Amino acid sequence: MSEQLIISVSREYGSGGHEIAQKLAEYYKLPMYDHNLLDEVAASMNVSSKELAEFDEKRRNKFLYRSVMGMQFDYIKKKAEAGESFVIVGRCSEIVLKDNPNLISIFVLGDREAKIERVMQIYELDARHAEERMIEKDRRRKSYHNSHCKVKWGDSRNYDLSINSSRLGVEETVESLKNYIDARIAHK
């Protein structure tokens, strides 16, 4: 791929957003950054990734913001400014990279029941524990995002496309997203 392509995928817990991001990364032959981004940041800064992981997707802390989140956001920006193409999951990337003309930002959501069922299957939980886990993870994601960004997590105005993966399932959602991304690429 000669033109830069950055795909940002934000997602509700249990929506399949991470799997969708993986499939898009594979299809477009792009590296994918998610929680592994901290390992890359740590390596570039000569610090322990375990130390940074403690602050991953946590609410803003004025003492740690510049040191941990700032490094993560700066790292993402530098990759984009260097012309690299990649898929990134979360990390406020739709806001951090919003001025990049090659960014395609996606928010994957899902129906409550479908998300609970998915979490039950993946983590072998009963419905009550799956729902509790889903609510807690989304609460943390929302808190993290909203403490670092002026715009609200999940607000469709922040994304090029919001899609409910419960309607089509993961595979067909990926196909729909590939059609959209290919159209965007062709439109340049």
Side-chain angles (χ1 to χ4, degrees):
M1 178 173 298
S2 59
E3 186 82 24
Q4 182 184 40
L5 173 62
I6 301 171
I7 303 170
S8 165
V9 179
S10 297
R11 74 279 181 229
E12 291 180 341
Y13 192 77
S15 66
H18 193 272
E19 182 180 354
I20 289 166
Q22 285 177 312
K23 290 179 181 296
L24 291 172
E26 289 168 12
Y27 178 78
Y28 290 103
K29 297 177 178 42
L30 299 175
M32 185 173 107
Y33 301 108
D34 53 7
H35 54 83
N36 67 348
L37 183 65
L38 284 179
D39 294 335
E40 299 241 354
V41 171
S44 74
M45 303 298 287
N46 278 337
V47 296
S48 164
S49 61
K50 286 183 180 182
E51 289 176 41
L52 295 184
E54 180 179 331
F55 306 105
D56 190 28
E57 290 196 338
K58 297 285 191 307
R59 186 172 175 79
R60 184 179 187 153
N61 175 317
K62 65 182 178 182
F63 299 111
L64 301 172
Y65 178 69
R66 277 303 326 149
S67 61
V68 178
M69 294 308 110
M71 285 192 290
Q72 194 170 197
F73 296 161
D74 289 346
Y75 190 80
I76 295 167
K77 285 179 187 175
K78 285 179 185 166
K79 285 196 155 308
E81 289 167 0
E84 292 184 40
S85 294
F86 51 90
V87 174
I88 184 159
V89 180
R91 308 308 184 256
C92 301
S93 56
E94 81 284 357
I95 303 302
V96 172
L97 300 174
K98 70 179 179 176
D99 294 329
N100 187 305
N102 300 308
L103 173 69
I104 298 175
S105 59
I106 300 163
F107 189 83
V108 182
L109 59 135
D111 296 339
R112 181 180 156 276
E113 290 76 19
K115 293 186 301 179
I116 290 171
E117 184 66 34
R118 181 179 176 82
V119 173
M120 285 171 58
Q121 288 176 351
I122 292 172
Y123 298 103
E124 299 177 1
L125 299 171
D126 61 38
R128 183 176 66 86
H129 288 100
E131 183 174 24
E132 288 172 358
R133 183 177 183 137
M134 181 184 75
I135 290 168
E136 177 59 22
K137 291 285 191 172
D138 278 346
R139 184 193 63 74
R140 281 189 196 168
R141 287 177 181 171
K142 182 179 184 179
S143 177
Y144 167 81
H145 187 282
N146 293 352
S147 70
H148 294 290
C149 303
K150 289 182 172 67
V151 298
K152 301 298 180 200
W153 178 75
D155 184 335
S156 62
R157 293 170 290 199
N158 301 327
Y159 308 92
D160 296 312
L161 185 66
S162 292
I163 191 163
N164 185 331
S165 61
S166 301
R167 305 288 189 235
L168 299 173
V170 168
E171 294 301 327
E172 288 187 51
T173 298
V174 170
E175 289 304 314
S176 295
L177 292 172
K178 288 183 340 192
N179 289 333
Y180 177 80
I181 293 165
D182 290 346
R184 283 278 305 273
I185 292 168
H187 191 259
K188 284 187 179 184

